[in-house]
Amino acid sequence: MPDTASDKQAEGLTPYQHPFPQDAVPEIFVPRIEPEDDREWVPQAEGVWFRPLCLGVSQGYYVNLLRVRKAGVLSCHRHFGPVHAHVLKGKWHYLEHDWVAEAGAYIFEAPGETHTLVVPEGVAEMVTLFHVTGGYMYCTPDGAPTGCEDVFTKIELCRKHYESCGLGADYVERFIR
Ligand code: FE
């Protein structure tokens, strides 16, 4: 084991010796993306929750887990920015595509994607990590707008839920950058 500064240097174990840039924001460390405390899951609809990981207010994006514990449909919506997804558990598909996303899958969705997510019968739980930039608009299959969501509406949902479940409204602050 290296024990002097020069030994550490020889081993390449010397940490960076300077402060980070003055304007850099702190990292976020989440030890378990599926939390031990179930209250971290924010209810979104019947049988649907999300769990924030990074709420990027200065660049208009968020990273979260989506958990669905019912078979059925999540409303049709149109994305205004890119989406990256990684399926961790279960499976789902979109009415608009012919593929099925199962645990292990990665999906990129370009701005303009308009889709309706379906969790099929027989899937007890699906969990997917989504990185969503720029928000999205709920709409009818004909394209008529019915609502919208972005990092700010997500934060509001978190605040309300964390307040009411006892974690405290400012619990969400740790995920905001
Ligand atoms: Fe989507």
Side-chain angles (χ1 to χ4, degrees):
M1 285 293 281
D3 46 15
T4 68
S6 64
D7 282 345
K8 282 185 179 171
Q9 203 156 7
E11 299 278 330
L13 292 174
T14 307
Y16 182 61
Q17 296 293 295
H18 302 281
F20 296 162
Q22 188 178 339
D23 304 301
V25 297
E27 82 282 15
I28 297 174
F29 174 68
V30 176
R32 292 164 49 96
I33 58 172
E34 294 200 52
E36 284 180 39
D37 187 341
D38 213 52
R39 294 177 301 170
E40 291 200 28
W41 288 101
V42 180
Q44 183 169 298
E46 175 72 37
V48 183
W49 298 259
F50 72 94
R51 183 272 202 273
L53 293 167
C54 178
L55 300 163
V57 292
S58 62
Q59 296 193 50
Y61 73 93
Y62 61 88
V63 181
N64 71 5
L65 297 186
L66 181 70
R67 182 177 77 182
V68 181
R69 287 181 172 167
K70 59 154 193 184
V73 167
L74 273 62
S75 310
C76 184
H77 56 273
R78 173 182 178 142
H79 284 274
F80 298 116
V83 178
H84 302 269
H86 176 54
V87 185
L88 301 173
K89 206 182 277 182
K91 64 176 174 179
W92 52 268
H93 64 274
Y94 289 128
L95 293 181
E96 294 78 7
H97 293 293
D98 59 7
W99 43 261
V100 176
E102 298 192 52
Y106 162 80
I107 304 106
F108 167 70
E109 303 165 4
E113 258 277 329
T114 307
H115 50 217
T116 314
L117 191 151
V118 180
V119 177
E121 290 293 337
V123 176
E125 176 177 89
M126 88 78 156
V127 179
T128 300
L129 186 148
F130 282 100
H131 177 163
V132 178
T133 296
Y136 51 92
M137 169 187 86
Y138 289 107
C139 60
T140 67
D142 277 334
T146 56
C148 66
E149 197 106 65
D150 61 14
V151 63
F152 302 108
T153 62
K154 289 284 175 189
I155 289 172
E156 272 317 294
L157 286 170
C158 291
R159 280 218 173 88
K160 285 185 184 135
H161 168 68
Y162 289 148
E163 174 82 73
S164 70
C165 75
L167 286 171
D170 58 5
Y171 192 80
V172 69
E173 309 285 337
R174 70 198 60 207
F175 304 114
I176 299 177
R177 289 295 185 275

